Every structure is written in C-alpha cells, then in structure tokens.
Amino acid sequence: MAHAAQVGLQDATSPIMEELITFHDHALMIIFLICFLVLYALFLTLTTKLTNTNISDAQEMETVWTILPAIILVLIALPSLRILYMTDEVNDPSLTIKSIGHQWYWTYEYTDYGGLIFNSYMLPPLFLEPGDLRLLDVDNRVVLPIEAPIRMMITSQDVLHSWAVPTLGLKTDAIPGRVNQTTFTATRPGVYYGQCSEICGANHSFMPIVLELIPLKIFEMGPVFTL
C-alpha cells in the first residue's frame, strides 16, 4: 500500500500492474525528452541573435517537426493499446466473485461456493485493533488465491461506484443496471487495500476494499473467509 511521502506508484502485485508501471516509465521518459528540447529551444531563442533569415523558408525543418510528433505518438499509442487489450482478456477464470456497490459499503458473492454472500463495511475507529489501518480496514475481507485467474463481476445497486485496487492495477466502474467485469492474477500473498474511486455521496471516502491473498493450496483446503 501507499506510504507517506511516496513519489512513485505502489509495488505491482499482478502482471497488468507491472505492465502499467513499465508504460508509465516509458511515457515519462518521452515527456522528459520533449520538455528538454522545448526548454533548450526557448533558451536559444532568448540568448541568440536572430541573424539568419533563411530559417523562415526551411522545408526540411518543417518536415522534421511534423513527422517527429507523429512518431512520438505512435511510440506512446502502441504499448498503450497493448495494455488496453490485455486488461480486457478473460482467459478461463478459476474463480468468479461478484461485487455490488451500495451507499456506502460493498457486498461480495462467491458464485462458485454455493452463493456465499456477505457485506463488507469499514471498521469504525473504536473497533480498530493494533496494526489496523484507519479508514482502510473492513470487518469482512475478501479472501482470494494467488497464481490463479480471478474474474470480478462489478455492479451497483444505487449510484455510481468504482471498485479500485491500485496495487493490482484494477479500476472498474460499478453502474446500476449493468455488470462490468475485470480479471487479475495476483502474484504475491498479502493484504491489499483499495477504495471506491467514484464520488458516490456524503460517505464516499468510507468505502474501503480489502483483499487478503493467500496461496492457492491453502485456499483449496477449505473456506478461510474472515467473517
């Protein structure tokens, strides 16, 4: 999870998030290059006497500054489209979880476990144990296996919500009357936090998401849900 004074992104826990971090660094280097070239041109403009009038009719220069931005856009668009299609792929999920957004809590349904349904509310400050995180911990965590493709079916019962877990690279809108789906494969065990990322009312800030990811062998031994 994020910590105080953090500058970069959270550590990746899924292949999709690893790709997003790589693309972020790739795009950032291109932005740095563009900024350097623009600042260098401005510096030359302010410090150099313009004595060469032939530059007003430089066809080669106009060709370069027309083609170069197009090449830069292609270098950004190709990896971006690749990641976009990767996020839409659903490859034979091992487990399907349905998440329903409410004002202001989440309901989860394990459709592959006899329709197990439970609500997940934020823990009030008076109920926090030592080590719990204020405004982030919940009474019932979602327990999922690692190294297995998980499909999340996300919808809402009242207003727009958004189910987001940054370390997994997930952010999917929960829309009333519509079911959106996303998939992920976690690579490391641990407890990972997210929040509703769509302004959904007065208590929008109090809709945390907590995923407890455990090894697949332990998950297969039986229900270990923290109810």
Side-chain angles (χ1 to χ4, degrees):
M1 62 170 293
H3 56 80
Q6 179 174 336
V7 177
L9 301 173
Q10 298 184 29
D11 293 337
T13 313
S14 68
I16 292 297
M17 189 58 187
E18 292 175 359
E19 293 288 341
L20 289 172
I21 292 176
T22 301
F23 175 70
H24 168 269
D25 297 339
H26 168 73
L28 199 60
M29 293 309 298
I30 294 177
I31 293 173
F32 283 156
L33 177 61
I34 294 173
C35 292
F36 174 78
L37 291 176
V38 171
L39 290 175
Y40 180 68
L42 287 174
F43 175 78
L44 292 181
T45 302
L46 296 174
T47 58
T48 304
K49 293 182 179 179
L50 301 178
T51 58
N52 189 355
T53 58
N54 294 328
I55 196 173
S56 62
D57 191 27
Q59 298 295 330
E60 294 82 3
M61 180 178 295
E62 292 182 3
T63 302
V64 169
W65 70 40
T66 301
I67 295 178
L68 187 59
I71 295 175
I72 293 175
L73 289 177
V74 170
L75 292 177
I76 295 176
L78 290 180
S80 176
L81 290 173
R82 174 175 170 269
I83 296 175
L84 183 62
Y85 280 103
M86 288 176 60
T87 57
D88 286 338
E89 291 182 355
V90 180
N91 295 323
D92 191 20
S94 301
L95 184 65
T96 299
I97 307 295
K98 186 176 182 181
S99 176
I100 305 173
H102 307 269
Q103 290 182 309
W104 289 271
Y105 63 95
W106 296 98
T107 297
Y108 296 98
E109 178 180 350
Y110 284 73
T111 58
D112 300 319
Y113 283 83
L116 173 65
I117 303 175
F118 61 89
N119 296 326
S120 181
Y121 292 88
M122 184 194 74
L123 281 177
L126 294 178
F127 293 90
L128 292 176
E129 300 289 340
D132 289 344
L133 301 175
R134 179 178 174 270
L135 302 182
L136 284 178
D137 264 302
V138 296
D139 54 356
N140 298 321
R141 295 175 176 176
V142 182
V143 181
L144 297 172
I146 65 172
E147 299 178 348
I150 308 297
R151 175 171 58 186
M152 296 295 304
M153 311 293 290
I154 300 169
T155 185
S156 173
Q157 197 175 31
D158 37 47
V159 298
L160 290 176
H161 300 281
S162 185
W163 199 85
V165 182
T167 189
L168 292 172
L170 298 177
K171 185 180 184 297
T172 304
D173 288 340
I175 303 173
R178 176 174 178 175
V179 178
N180 291 328
Q181 72 173 1
T182 186
T183 59
F184 67 92
T185 301
T187 56
R188 296 183 299 168
V191 179
Y192 301 98
Y193 298 87
Q195 289 178 304
C196 175
S197 297
E198 189 75 39
I199 297 178
C200 55
N203 292 331
H204 157 69
S205 302
F206 310 112
M207 286 185 64
I209 301 163
V210 182
L211 304 182
E212 185 173 343
L213 303 177
I214 61 177
L216 181 59
K217 292 183 178 179
I218 298 178
F219 186 85
E220 290 176 343
M221 292 173 59
V224 289
F225 309 113
T226 56
L227 297 177

